[in-house]
Amino acid sequence: MFKANKNYLNLQGSYLFSTIAKKVAAYQEAHPDADIIRLGIGDVTQPLVPEIIKTLHEGVDEMAHKETFHGYSPDLGYEFLRSAIAEEYRQRGCQVSDNEIFVSDGAKSDSGNIQEIFSEDSRVAVCDPVYPVYVDSNVMAGRSGAYDQAAGRYKNFIYMPCTEANNFTPEFPKENPDIIYLCYPNNPTGMAITKERLQDWVDYANKIGAVIIYDAAYEAYITEDSCPHSIYECEGARTCAIEIRSFSKNAGFTGVRLGFTVVPEELKDADGVCMHDLWARRHGTKFNGAPYIVQKAGAAVYTPEGKQQIREQVGYYQKNASAIYNGLKDAGYTVYGGVNAPYIWLKTPDNLTSWEFFDRLLHEVNIVGTPGSGFGPSGEHFFRLTAFGSYENTVRAIDRIKNW
Ligand code: MLT
């Protein structure tokens, strides 16, 4: 008789954003006239910029002719895209070669899949609160141990609280991890890390022989010069860090799907195994490449026109972030994030739990956000709002909260 992967039974509830979607759908069904403003999931709302649309059309036309038709993509992605990405790294002073860039269908898949190339008994350290994919993918792989309901934590994971007291940047854990997940600018807190502090993490990882999985999906939102756009701006990162990037948040590809992961050739495990080779092997075996049309559109992001247009679009969402941040402050809330990220992290009023605040916000002013506790126990009494709505809806939502 076949047997299921019982690790899945160790997962807690459904995926956070599925739970929220179900709750909102139930409310909308019971209140069909409610004008709900959705500032929950970090999904973009503005159309793709003209340069990307133009390139997508060109790609479609190429597929219509025998001479320009494209079948499977090369394993690592098309060279035209990887060299454009590598050039961008070079301009930031980072040493990343085309050959170290693996194009994929998005940062979510990569951040869920990357754990596969590490040993099953690796100790995993995650921030708390954290993007649930890092936790759940390691639960599925059997690294979590039992779930402790009272603590809201898995026994074998090392949790690194990110709180007001440490300005939402974790301290080094007491026990040594093998795999450390860091995401900056951070989802969900919207806080950034300074280059100096990230350098400390790189030094620490090199010292203890750990790998950092660095999720830089939100780097386009950085406004402060002290914050690094890539972990490879830090010295020594090539021997301890993998970086994951997305085209979703900078260029609006959430429905188009494109991302990439950098695995430096110097990244070796304790026995000298080259992690780049393992990821290449995994990519070749389990993935047949992002569509040609999409990769072509991805390259348009790096052209002068594309750069300027997506800069304006990111600016649009940044304006929303400021409107939320300042509006909530004016309304007397304690607010974090929003300066270098599209997420605003607010403290719930009157010591309400995150889910109590979620329900009240939905029922009383018809606004959807994300409960902080859904990202981990240290997120309790916090709440996340996203800047990815339309400007009009963002302003309406803040007005509703101010007049609540
Ligand atoms: C979020 O809301 O946290 C994001 O949508 C996560 C993601 O990009 O998968």
Side-chain angles (χ1 to χ4, degrees):
M1 183 69 191
F2 69 87
K3 284 191 176 168
N5 175 354
K6 300 288 193 307
N7 296 323
Y8 276 63
L9 305 182
N10 221 356
L11 293 165
Q12 298 306 301
S14 61
Y15 185 60
L16 174 63
F17 294 105
S18 314
T19 309
I20 292 171
K22 273 190 206 135
K23 271 184 170 258
V24 176
Y27 181 82
Q28 185 81 80
E29 203 181 318
H31 305 86
D33 297 333
D35 172 20
I36 298 175
I37 301 178
R38 290 171 167 77
L39 302 180
I41 192 162
D43 193 4
V44 294
T45 53
Q46 298 308 295
L48 296 169
V49 299
E51 190 59 22
I52 291 170
I53 291 293
K54 187 183 100 193
T55 314
L56 281 169
H57 280 294
E58 286 167 8
V60 171
D61 287 343
E62 285 179 50
M63 296 299 265
H65 302 283
K66 204 165 127 210
E67 302 72 33
T68 47
F69 170 79
H70 287 80
Y72 291 130
S73 144
D75 273 3
L76 268 61
Y78 283 100
E79 177 56 27
F80 62 76
L81 177 56
R82 289 186 295 121
S83 59
I85 295 168
E87 178 55 29
E88 189 73 9
Y89 272 113
R90 264 190 292 279
Q91 284 174 15
R92 285 222 176 270
C94 304
Q95 188 201 336
V96 171
S97 72
D98 307 13
N99 188 41
E100 294 169 325
I101 296 163
F102 297 78
V103 175
S104 73
D105 64 349
K108 183 175 182 177
S109 329
D110 283 355
S111 51
N113 291 330
I114 194 76
Q115 47 76 28
E116 275 185 36
I117 60 170
F118 295 97
S119 144
E120 210 181 299
D121 59 3
S122 304
R123 288 299 305 280
V124 173
V126 289
C127 290
D128 169 25
V130 69
Y131 178 45
V133 174
Y134 318 144
V135 170
D136 287 359
S137 56
N138 279 288
V139 173
M140 291 168 178
R143 296 193 182 93
S144 66
Y147 187 71
D148 177 344
Q149 284 290 349
R153 292 178 162 191
Y154 289 95
K155 203 167 125 268
N156 293 349
F157 289 159
I158 298 170
Y159 290 86
M160 307 183 291
C162 296
T163 61
E164 288 172 294
N166 60 20
N167 205 27
F168 302 96
T169 310
E171 281 99 32
F172 302 140
K174 291 195 183 73
E175 300 164 82
N176 282 353
D178 301 306
I179 306 174
I180 302 164
Y181 285 86
L182 292 180
C183 169
Y184 282 102
N186 187 256
N187 179 14
T189 66
M191 296 295 274
I193 194 166
T194 61
K195 183 169 169 197
E196 216 178 1
R197 187 67 188 136
L198 187 59
Q199 182 67 59
D200 291 343
W201 274 96
V202 167
D203 295 344
Y204 166 78
N206 274 324
K207 190 168 124 214
I208 65 165
V211 62
I212 298 176
I213 312 287
Y214 193 70
D215 183 347
Y218 300 95
E219 62 78 33
Y221 290 81
I222 291 173
T223 60
E224 294 177 323
D225 290 344
S226 54
C227 305
H229 288 251
S230 163
I231 196 164
Y232 302 115
E233 290 176 39
C234 298
E235 218 170 293
R238 288 180 56 80
T239 50
C240 71
I242 288 174
E243 181 161 288
I244 298 174
R245 290 276 193 104
S246 170
F247 285 77
S248 290
K249 319 294 174 169
N250 61 340
F253 277 43
T254 54
V256 180
R257 307 308 307 151
L258 192 65
F260 65 89
T261 287
V262 176
V263 187
E265 279 169 355
E266 282 99 308
L267 186 69
K268 307 260 168 74
D269 88 335
D271 303 311
V273 175
C274 174
M275 301 315 287
H276 176 277
D277 294 351
L278 297 198
W279 188 240
R281 188 69 175 81
R282 191 229 171 252
H283 222 56
T285 301
K286 294 197 176 182
F287 186 59
N288 252 341
Y292 167 74
I293 301 164
V294 173
Q295 293 195 49
K296 187 175 163 82
V301 164
Y302 299 94
T303 62
E305 299 78 12
K307 270 189 191 168
Q308 194 215 318
Q309 291 171 11
I310 67 166
R311 193 64 245 145
E312 278 168 28
Q313 191 162 77
V314 167
Y316 175 94
Y317 294 127
Q318 282 171 323
K319 192 168 142 203
N320 290 351
S322 302
I324 300 173
Y325 183 91
N326 294 323
L328 290 174
K329 272 213 144 152
D330 291 349
Y333 286 82
T334 304
V335 201
Y336 297 96
V339 177
N340 295 296
Y343 295 125
I344 289 85
W345 191 239
L346 63 112
K347 231 172 150 165
T348 59
D350 306 325
N351 210 31
L352 291 173
T353 67
S354 303
W355 279 107
E356 282 167 352
F357 188 71
F358 172 91
D359 286 332
R360 286 196 52 188
L361 202 66
L362 175 60
H363 291 239
E364 295 175 23
V365 283
N366 296 162
I367 296 169
V368 181
T370 310
S373 57
F375 296 102
S378 298
E380 183 57 285
H381 302 296
F382 282 90
F383 199 77
R384 194 192 78 175
L385 289 175
T386 161
F388 286 125
S390 68
Y391 182 67
E392 295 70 29
N393 275 348
T394 302
V395 170
R396 284 169 64 226
I398 294 306
D399 283 346
R400 285 188 197 175
I401 293 175
K402 278 185 173 171
N403 299 323
W404 196 6

